[in-house]
């Protein structure tokens, strides 16, 4: 008997150009996370920004999500949502993560996922997909782009 295919995660359907930021000034990691959370909260008024920020920062205190590729993936599982909610920031100059000194963050892919146990496999799929696709060459390509639309197009076309 053939195994059923696992549902595929499609970033193209999750990310919108309105939730892509380009950061061209010195910013702290937590400040950038807050900007991304506020972008999400603007689109989802039932999700209070302060609550989301607290959940994500608590998660970051446990284990930093900054990878040596220049990608950081802050995330949290949240009650009351039924699909991923994502935002992306590109920081061409890089920002530092106190938890991983010497590793500049150039791309931050923040996501919220449903806390429902049945969704956890998709949560893991997205983490895996992001870590596989956002390798140093792709991160450098993203930081060379000048507009949120270009970044959105590059991410959608490659994932």
């Amino acid at each position: 008997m053939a195994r059923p295919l696992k549902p595929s995660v499609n970033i193209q359907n999750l990310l919108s150009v309105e939730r892509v930021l380009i950061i061209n000034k010195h910013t702290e990691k937590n400040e950038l996370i807050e900007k991304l959370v506020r972008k999400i909260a603007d689109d989802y008024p039932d999700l209070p920004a302060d609550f989301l920020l607290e959940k994500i920062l608590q998660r970051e205190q446990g284990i930093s999500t900054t990878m040596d590729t220049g990608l950081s993936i802050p995330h949290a599982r949240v009650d009351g949502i039924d699909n991923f909610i994502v935002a992306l920031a590109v920081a061409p100059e890089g920002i530092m993560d106190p938890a991983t000194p010497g590793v500049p963050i150039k791309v931050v892919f923040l996501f919220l996922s449903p806390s429902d146990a049945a969704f956890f496999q998709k949560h893991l799929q997205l983490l895996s997909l992001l870590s596989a696709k956002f390798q140093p060459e792709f991160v450098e390509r993203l930081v060379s782009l000048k507009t949120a639309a270009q970044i959105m197009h590059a991410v959608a076309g490659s994932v």
Side-chain angles (χ1 to χ4, degrees):
M1 176 185 260
R3 271 187 173 165
L5 294 174
K6 292 181 181 177
S8 176
V9 176
N10 186 337
I11 293 174
Q12 183 173 0
N13 295 335
L14 300 174
L15 189 61
S16 69
V17 72
E18 294 80 22
R19 281 192 248 132
V20 175
L21 301 176
I22 300 173
I23 306 300
N24 287 315
K25 63 178 186 169
H26 175 74
T27 303
E28 299 294 327
K29 180 182 177 188
N30 288 354
E31 181 183 353
L32 181 51
I33 289 172
E34 182 176 359
K35 286 179 183 184
L36 291 172
V37 164
R38 296 215 179 274
K39 276 285 190 192
I40 287 171
D42 287 347
D43 291 341
Y44 293 88
D46 292 344
L47 297 174
D50 292 339
F51 167 76
L52 296 175
L53 182 61
E54 182 179 331
K55 263 186 108 52
I56 290 170
L57 293 179
Q58 278 180 345
R59 167 68 184 75
E60 284 292 304
Q61 285 177 354
I63 298 175
S64 173
T65 59
T66 299
M67 304 172 75
D68 62 0
T69 59
L71 172 67
S72 185
I73 314 171
H75 59 280
R77 297 178 69 206
V78 179
D79 291 333
I81 63 174
D82 61 4
N83 199 2
F84 292 112
I85 301 173
V86 306
L88 176 78
V90 174
E93 301 300 317
I95 59 173
M96 297 313 292
D97 181 349
T100 55
V103 178
I105 300 168
K106 295 198 172 182
V107 175
V108 177
F109 192 102
L110 182 143
F111 76 90
L112 308 172
S113 67
S115 60
D116 178 17
F119 201 88
F120 190 63
Q121 186 64 35
K122 281 189 174 186
H123 179 97
L124 295 176
Q125 284 178 346
L126 182 56
L127 285 169
S128 177
L129 178 69
L130 293 172
S131 64
K133 293 294 182 181
F134 284 76
Q135 292 298 307
E137 301 81 26
F138 186 63
V139 168
E140 289 306 316
R141 178 174 168 222
L142 292 179
V143 300
S144 74
L145 300 174
K146 304 296 182 212
T147 68
Q150 290 172 333
I151 293 167
M152 170 75 186
H153 180 73
V155 170
S158 71
V159 184

